[in-house]
Amino acid sequence: MDKKIGFIGCGNMGKAILGGLISSGLVPAGNIWIYTPSPDKVQALCEEYGINPAQSAQEVAQIADIVFGAVKPNIMLKVLSEVNSDLNKDTVIISIAAGITLETLAKVLGHDRKIIRAMPNTPALVNAGMTSVTPNALVTPEDVADAVSIFRSFGQAEVVSEAMIHPVVGVSGSAPAYVFMFIEAMADAAVLGGMPRKQAYQFAAQAVMGSAKMVLETGTHPGELKDMVCSPGGTTIEAVKVLEERGFRAAVMEAMVKCMAKSELLGKS
């Protein structure tokens, strides 16, 4: 990709994006600029990745074709307002701040700006992220393709409408927390059965990762894959029976409904 990429802020998620870009070779390190208020952090990132330091957020805005707003949501609008006049006409601004709508971003940047709202999740930190990409009407198909390519450099990415942001929060943004709880619970049971804890986490986590990979790579319905494991009168169907009796699927669905409702409420506020 022959574009200049700029980062304003670079927390964990910003660093995941930066690392994905570099490791995939999608963007040369010499085409990336970064600014954070901490000179030591800028220096460390530049030494680690071979990228360019910027002296200010305004400098990033002036140089980059694609600018990532990678600061905390509570200061995102302030930071963008401060660099708005330095952005080029065709610059694409990508916000990864949760809860900030395209309309709110446009009120700060102007309704003539190309803006993308993106929502990666924490597995991006291990190159296994899932990111939603939501462009406004001014973003061109080429710009969208570039954004999707960037996010696919450290996982998977799909274009979604802004109306689907709340389901994205429930099924992707917040979902790692539910999965971590499931892994922890399975490991606790294995420990109860006598397995050393470190080994229990390894078995549980690998089972979850492998199962997810089967869903993605086979295209087979999860219910059918579940049935393949459930031998008549066997151990698995016994466990499935208990999960059904305890309302496992209903609990997951209700948790996600609450999560989506909270996301919608935060978006309005």
Side-chain angles (χ1 to χ4, degrees):
M1 183 187 300
D2 189 25
K3 294 285 178 72
K4 294 176 181 177
I5 311 295
F7 287 83
I8 299 175
C10 195
N12 287 335
M13 203 60 70
K15 190 172 180 180
I17 298 169
L18 176 59
L21 284 171
I22 298 296
S23 63
S24 68
L26 182 65
V27 178
N31 280 15
I32 301 174
W33 280 259
I34 187 165
Y35 171 76
T36 80
S38 169
D40 291 343
K41 184 172 185 179
V42 171
Q43 183 179 351
L45 289 167
C46 290
E47 289 176 356
E48 181 176 356
Y49 294 108
I51 58 178
N52 303 296
Q55 300 304 310
S56 65
Q58 287 76 12
E59 183 182 349
V60 172
Q62 291 166 5
I63 293 172
D65 301 305
I66 300 172
V67 173
F68 279 93
V71 298
K72 296 292 186 184
N74 63 325
I75 62 169
M76 176 66 78
L77 298 178
K78 178 178 182 294
V79 169
L80 292 180
S81 68
E82 291 172 350
V83 303
N84 189 27
S85 61
D86 296 284
L87 293 164
N88 297 310
K89 179 183 176 183
D90 290 323
T91 301
V92 178
I93 302 97
I94 302 180
S95 167
I96 61 170
I100 302 180
T101 66
L102 288 174
E103 176 61 25
T104 301
L105 291 165
K107 285 179 180 178
V108 171
L109 292 166
H111 288 82
D112 58 344
R113 293 288 190 191
K114 296 179 178 181
I115 305 170
I116 294 175
R117 182 181 177 186
M119 184 170 293
N121 62 6
T122 56
L125 299 171
V126 291
N127 292 321
M130 184 70 217
T131 304
S132 66
V133 176
T134 303
N136 72 359
L138 298 178
V139 178
T140 68
E142 179 187 357
D143 295 329
V144 173
D146 286 343
V148 169
S149 294
I150 288 171
F151 288 109
R152 285 181 178 170
S153 72
F154 55 88
Q156 294 297 322
E158 294 292 336
V159 178
V160 302
S161 69
E162 195 163 32
M164 290 294 103
I165 286 292
H166 307 305
V168 165
V169 172
V171 78
S172 178
S174 298
Y178 331 146
V179 178
F180 296 145
M181 291 174 69
F182 183 49
I183 290 170
E184 184 182 31
M186 289 200 297
D188 282 348
V191 170
L192 185 63
M195 182 178 283
R197 182 161 291 281
K198 184 177 180 180
Q199 194 173 52
Y201 285 138
Q202 181 182 13
F203 270 86
Q206 183 66 32
V208 169
M209 185 173 71
S211 302
K213 193 171 183 180
M214 286 183 71
V215 172
L216 292 172
E217 294 190 3
T218 67
T220 303
H221 190 285
E224 187 176 342
L225 292 172
K226 179 261 297 177
D227 289 348
M228 289 167 56
V229 191
C230 294
S231 303
T235 57
T236 307
I237 195 64
E238 191 73 24
V240 168
K241 177 176 178 290
V242 173
L243 290 174
E244 292 288 12
E245 288 173 347
R246 300 296 175 87
F248 177 70
R249 284 189 284 190
V252 172
M253 291 176 69
E254 179 62 20
M256 285 186 56
V257 167
K258 294 289 188 182
C259 180
M260 291 185 284
K262 183 69 170 183
S263 173
E264 189 169 359
L265 182 63
L266 291 174
K268 289 177 180 177
S269 63

